[in-house]
Amino acid sequence: MSMDQSPSLQILAREPEGFTIWRGPPFSNGQPHVNLERVPCTSAEFSENGSRLIVIKSASTVVVYNCSGFTEIRSFEIPSLLAAVLSPCGTYLQTFQKSTTPQDKNVVLWEIETATPVYQQFQKNMSKTTWPSIQFSSDESIACRMVTNEIQFFDAKDFSKGVTCRLKIPGVVAVKLSKAPASHIAAFVAESKSIPASVQIFSCNKDAQAQPVARRSFFRCSTVQFHWNNGSTGLLVVAHSDVDKSNQSYYGESKLNYLTIDGTHEGLVPLRKDGPVHDVQWSSSGSEFAVVYGFMPAKATIFDKKCNPLLDLGQGPYNTIRWNPKGRFICLAGFGNLPGDMAFWDYSEKKLLGTTKAECSVTSEWSPDGHYFMTATTAPRLQIDNGIKIFHHNGTLYFKKMFNKLYQAAWKPEAPEKFGDITDLVKSVNTLKIDEPKKQAQDPKSSQASTKISANTVQKPAAYRPPHAKSAAAVQAELFGGIAPAEETSKNALRNKKRREKQREKKAQEASAATCGSS
């Protein structure tokens, strides 16, 4: 697709007063154009494909927008609302309400076009593993929900049919549908007495669910994270234990496991350094995955589908890895309690493009076209220095905006196939930087003069001063106005120097007088 036909990038920025929608980058005159003026809300989130936007305006009001023109298409009044989420294609709205009795069906699935409930159920509480209660595949071809000891499947096009299939899995506590195609589902069974925990992969075809197609057991495993690849052929499982028996980590231990639906691999990923698994992500092709692991400084490695290492990204203060949607560029970063170092890699060329920093970043993500990388410092995680930074694919800063308080910053999702090849984008950006070198070439004298000036103004490195001396100097500077102590110190040093010189002259005169007397 040509760049002219590609959709424009859009950013949602939510402040205490509400959210706005920006168009771009690129920005004209260095500032974003506002596509949608501020809308008061307490929460806002795009559907997975970016076609619709859900906005929670109050404790009982939910509004759904059509993202093609950001027009309001449906409003719902739902008392005692605690959570709401859109299905991946924006067909359904799922809500969770506060319930007082089991007779209250507090989880409702609404069809947005008709504003009618198509499915209702009771759910006692909500957690990361149980919400959304009804899971959809990316294309909304399959829907399922986890209940005690089983997984229930539905016809996502017609919920009036009720449960179409039941998969019995005793002890199941978490499930994850594969991405498109929605051919398989992963289930985690918690440890029970002397029986170890396990992850099992089943087919979504009810005629092939008699036995799992893959299975992996774990000892000392309390929680897991599932990572399906595109194509639904492989599953990465980060198994976490609350206790590290080696006593090397206060935060427990984690292991990275890899399972394939054809059963060719069911085991650990061979990581080359001891320590926790900080982050893992598949490439857009689903044929490689990147892992950040080990005690600090952490190590980063890219593996193929057979767990063979393909590229070593080195070591550093890193705990985050982001693969751009086109599968070419990688950002390796250290956020959270780390100082914010970022390294940008070109995976196709196997080379480092640049490094930079984004301190105190809370969220980070590539733009849908794969050319820009956005970091955000948001509340309530951090109450100061809230803002947005946007970087080019090579790490150079493109845009920065600070806020008194920022709650959320997110790209509007778009399919990467809608955008042109990243090479075209790189060329278009590089053409903007041609004029500056030409001006320098036209005036070589000015460049030589500037070189001489810069060479003459280079200062010698200062002598080492211990920390206590630095703090003492800072206190003196505050007391005496900054420059007075330095001048006073210089006068004292000059006075001492003159005194030493006089003493040396006196000793030399006495020595010469003694020599003359003896002769």
Side-chain angles (χ1 to χ4, degrees), residues 428-473:
S428 66
V429 172
N430 289 340
T431 55
L432 300 175
K433 301 178 181 179
I434 293 176
D435 295 337
E436 187 177 353
K438 284 183 177 179
K439 291 179 180 179
Q440 292 180 356
Q442 290 173 357
D443 193 1
K445 293 182 179 179
S446 61
S447 63
Q448 292 176 3
S450 62
T451 305
K452 290 180 180 178
I453 293 171
S454 61
N456 293 332
T457 56
V458 173
Q459 297 180 355
K460 294 182 180 180
Y464 170 75
R465 300 178 67 193
H468 64 82
K470 293 179 181 179
S471 60

Side-chain angles (χ1 to χ4, degrees), residues 282-285 288 302 311 313 322-331 344-351 353 366 369-371 393 420-427 430:
W282 285 96
S283 69
S284 57
S285 65
E288 308 99 355
I302 297 176
L311 179 64
L313 303 180
R322 296 286 184 267
W323 212 315
N324 87 328
K326 292 287 187 178
R328 177 172 176 180
F329 300 118
I330 297 172
C331 178
F344 290 84
W345 286 79
D346 185 334
Y347 175 64
S348 61
E349 299 291 336
K350 306 290 190 297
K351 67 178 182 180
L353 297 176
W366 284 97
D369 67 351
H371 182 62
H393 67 281
D421 186 72
I422 194 68
T423 306
D424 299 332
L425 290 170
V426 173
K427 288 180 180 178
N430 289 340

Side-chain angles (χ1 to χ4, degrees), residues 347-386:
Y347 175 64
S348 61
E349 299 291 336
K350 306 290 190 297
K351 67 178 182 180
L352 180 66
L353 297 176
T355 59
T356 185
K357 269 194 175 186
E359 297 88 348
C360 304
S361 297
V362 177
T363 62
S364 60
E365 196 54 66
W366 284 97
S367 60
D369 67 351
H371 182 62
Y372 300 96
F373 189 78
M374 178 171 65
T375 64
T377 302
T378 58
R381 175 72 179 272
L382 291 171
Q383 299 291 342
I384 60 172
D385 296 333
N386 285 190

Side-chain angles (χ1 to χ4, degrees), residues 146-151 167-172:
M146 179 189 68
V147 296
T148 305
N149 296 329
E150 74 175 22
I151 303 173
L167 176 60
K168 298 287 186 180
I169 307 176
V172 61

